[in-house]
Amino acid sequence: MGSKLFILACTAGLAVAVAAGASAQPHLPASGYQRLHVDKAVVGSTPVRVWANAAINPDCSAQTPDATLTILEQPAHGAAVVKDEPYYAAFPPANPRSACNDRKVPGHQAFYTAAAGYTGHDRMVLQGSSPDGAVRRIAVDITVR
């Protein structure tokens, strides 16, 4: 059986990779999901990718079942959308999937667009899951300039 890996990545290129059957933390919190927090700054109402995730095999193909990414809380001062489209992942060099970094891999991306003329703080909450049953809630705090 081949090794499987789930990736969570944000636009800064940070990737959290968790091997199938492993956990990003020793024990799952009582809530049943891992909590993550991301801060972003955006200028105006230009769409910005705030999060991306994928579950891919070492040959860069999508795992079946796939990872998921959904919006749990829409932002109050803008709009968020999840697009299911390929993107460039950022695997660390020691990871066998680092060969996939030079091509787009199948995945999901969350984008935020501020309302026209809005400046200030906004917030949204995403939920990502992996084929091995790991669930992550990602709170995204956004500063719109």
Side-chain angles (χ1 to χ4, degrees), residues 77-115:
H77 305 286
V81 63
V82 171
K83 296 182 180 181
D84 295 335
E85 61 187 24
Y87 71 98
Y88 289 100
F91 292 99
N95 187 300
R97 290 159 183 81
S98 64
C100 303
N101 291 349
D102 65 352
R103 69 190 86 163
K104 290 184 176 185
V105 296
H108 315 285
Q109 302 179 73
F111 292 88
Y112 169 82
T113 305

Side-chain angles (χ1 to χ4, degrees), residues 38 40-42 50 75 112 120-124 140-144:
V38 176
K40 292 288 180 181
V42 301
V50 295
Y112 169 82
H121 177 264
D122 210 349
R123 183 176 194 278
M124 61 187 281
V140 184
D141 281 300
I142 304 158
T143 302
V144 182

Side-chain angles (χ1 to χ4, degrees), residues 4-96:
K4 293 185 177 182
L5 187 75
F6 176 66
I7 302 230
L8 291 177
C10 69
T11 27
L14 168 70
V16 177
V18 181
S23 172
Q25 58 190 77
H27 300 285
L28 204 55
S31 61
Y33 55 87
Q34 179 186 17
R35 294 175 193 233
L36 301 174
H37 179 259
V38 176
D39 287 304
K40 292 288 180 181
V42 301
V43 177
S45 57
T46 301
V48 174
R49 185 175 79 176
V50 295
W51 193 261
N53 75 353
I56 65 169
N57 295 307
D59 68 357
C60 305
S61 63
Q63 281 188 25
T64 304
D66 192 10
T68 65
L69 185 61
T70 56
I71 299 168
L72 294 181
E73 292 178 27
Q74 283 281 346
H77 305 286
V81 63
V82 171
K83 296 182 180 181
D84 295 335
E85 61 187 24
Y87 71 98
Y88 289 100
F91 292 99
N95 187 300

